[in-house]
Amino acid sequence: KQYYLKNKDKIDELQKQYYLKNKDTINELRKQYYLKNKDKIDELQKQYYLKNKDTINELRKQYYLKNKDTINERKRQYHLKNKEKVSDRQKQYYLKNKDTINERKRQYHLKNKEKVSDRQKQYYLKNKDTINERNRQYLKNKDTKTVPSQ
């Protein structure tokens, strides 16, 4: 241990050189090991996550808050490049989890009536003209489609 502490920089540099020289074989061996022990590794990861869930989530949150702009920009760029793919995945997810999503929405609305109401009011005030125009168009189309009774 003392030897390592004295020569830490030199050892780290040698390890880096070794890795760069044998990168392909090391990666292949790692892949083989993972494939052989996949179940065990996955189980250990799950246990570790369950054991340290709060800490992990807090660190993720801190990382996100620190790098929020770059993360969101990366996501935005990906969504712009892959609109159809993202849209399809969102639809599939919604169709698969429709009941749970709607139940969560319902529960949220029940718990946060004031918040939801305020958000709806703000949306209306912000988009008042568009909403009123859409309503006029709807009523106009509705009137033209109905046949007056005789």
Side-chain angles (χ1 to χ4, degrees), residues 93-107:
Y93 178 82
Y94 177 73
L95 292 173
K96 183 180 176 186
N97 301 301
K98 193 174 185 177
D99 296 334
T100 54
I101 291 170
N102 289 335
E103 181 58 30
R104 280 189 203 142
K105 281 182 183 179
R106 195 175 73 69
Q107 292 298 327

Side-chain angles (χ1 to χ4, degrees), residues 78-93:
Y78 178 82
H79 282 255
L80 287 174
K81 287 179 186 174
N82 303 294
K83 280 183 180 179
E84 290 180 19
K85 192 176 179 182
V86 170
S87 178
D88 288 343
R89 263 194 265 142
Q90 288 172 339
K91 286 176 186 173
Q92 288 174 354
Y93 178 82

Side-chain angles (χ1 to χ4, degrees), residues 6-149:
K6 287 180 187 175
N7 301 308
K8 185 178 183 209
D9 294 334
K10 185 177 177 182
I11 292 171
D12 288 346
E13 185 60 35
L14 288 171
Q15 285 177 337
K16 189 185 238 182
Q17 287 174 1
Y18 178 81
Y19 175 74
L20 291 173
K21 188 192 283 185
N22 301 300
K23 190 176 183 179
D24 294 333
T25 54
I26 291 171
N27 287 338
E28 187 59 37
L29 289 171
R30 284 182 179 164
K31 192 184 286 185
Q32 288 174 2
Y33 177 80
Y34 178 75
L35 291 174
K36 283 182 189 173
N37 301 298
K38 188 178 187 311
D39 296 334
K40 190 166 86 172
I41 292 170
D42 289 348
E43 185 58 37
L44 287 171
Q45 286 177 336
K46 285 178 188 175
Q47 289 174 0
Y48 179 82
Y49 177 75
L50 291 173
K51 186 176 175 184
N52 300 298
K53 191 175 185 177
D54 296 333
T55 310
I56 292 170
N57 289 337
E58 184 58 35
L59 290 172
R60 283 180 180 166
K61 185 177 180 182
Q62 288 174 4
Y63 177 82
Y64 175 75
L65 293 174
K66 184 179 176 186
N67 302 300
K68 190 175 186 177
D69 295 334
T70 55
I71 292 169
N72 288 338
E73 181 59 27
R74 216 178 302 132
K75 283 181 181 179
R76 194 178 71 75
Q77 290 298 327
Y78 178 82
H79 282 255
L80 287 174
K81 287 179 186 174
N82 303 294
K83 280 183 180 179
E84 290 180 19
K85 192 176 179 182
V86 170
S87 178
D88 288 343
R89 263 194 265 142
Q90 288 172 339
K91 286 176 186 173
Q92 288 174 354
Y93 178 82
Y94 177 73
L95 292 173
K96 183 180 176 186
N97 301 301
K98 193 174 185 177
D99 296 334
T100 54
I101 291 170
N102 289 335
E103 181 58 30
R104 280 189 203 142
K105 281 182 183 179
R106 195 175 73 69
Q107 292 298 327
Y108 178 83
H109 283 263
L110 289 174
K111 286 181 185 175
N112 302 296
K113 286 181 181 178
E114 291 180 21
K115 257 188 191 179
V116 171
S117 176
D118 289 343
R119 194 178 317 124
Q120 289 171 340
K121 286 175 188 172
Q122 289 173 355
Y123 178 82
Y124 177 76
L125 292 174
K126 185 178 177 184
N127 301 300
K128 192 175 189 178
D129 297 333
T130 317
I131 293 170
N132 288 335
E133 182 59 35
R134 259 195 257 140
N135 287 341
R136 274 189 229 107
Q137 289 294 329
Y138 173 76
L139 291 173
K140 185 178 178 183
N141 289 338
K142 184 179 174 185
D143 290 341
T144 57
K145 287 180 183 175
T146 55
V147 179
S149 59

